[in-house]
Amino acid sequence: MGPVVLASQLAAGIGVIAGAMIVKNAMEHTGMNPMSTWDRPRCATCNGTGRVTCLCSRWSDGDTGCRTCSGSGRMACRSCGGSGTGRPLPVQISVRNNRPPPYS
């Protein structure tokens, strides 16, 4: 190996290490944490990917898939709608007062 090839490989390696350090620093400063970015936790069903195994792959006999997954074998998660984050559930709580009114 010539000195020019060795120098170019060394420069490429240093560039990769420097790039990794820049990305790590940016992620720490901007908060690329799923909880801080969206203020919502990751979906428990798809683990934040937004995709789950398609039902067609369970009964597949080697064909190309269905329209839902377009042959990829993965479809949008039904729990989060493909967003990867948990969705708040709309809940209505009704409270009854079973106590008699106080005597005056």
Side-chain angles (χ1 to χ4, degrees):
M1 239 198 270
V4 174
V5 173
L6 187 61
S8 66
Q9 288 180 350
L10 181 63
I14 291 172
V16 169
I17 292 171
M21 290 174 61
I22 290 170
V23 168
K24 182 179 180 241
N25 190 21
M27 287 177 68
E28 288 173 353
H29 286 1
T30 60
M32 295 292 240
N33 183 344
M35 291 296 287
S36 67
T37 305
W38 297 295
D39 290 334
R40 288 196 270 176
R42 289 183 177 189
C43 174
T45 305
C46 65
N47 198 24
T49 62
R51 312 287 286 170
V52 292
T53 303
C54 186
L55 296 174
C56 74
S57 62
R58 293 182 186 166
W59 300 294
S60 178
D61 56 353
D63 57 351
T64 59
C66 64
R67 280 187 260 157
T68 303
C69 67
S70 302
S72 69
R74 312 261 309 151
M75 66 180 191
C77 176
R78 292 182 186 203
S79 296
C80 66
S83 69
T85 59
R87 290 192 285 187
L89 296 174
V91 177
Q92 182 177 4
I93 300 173
S94 59
V95 179
R96 284 195 226 167
N97 187 358
N98 294 331
R99 296 182 190 169
Y103 296 106
S104 316

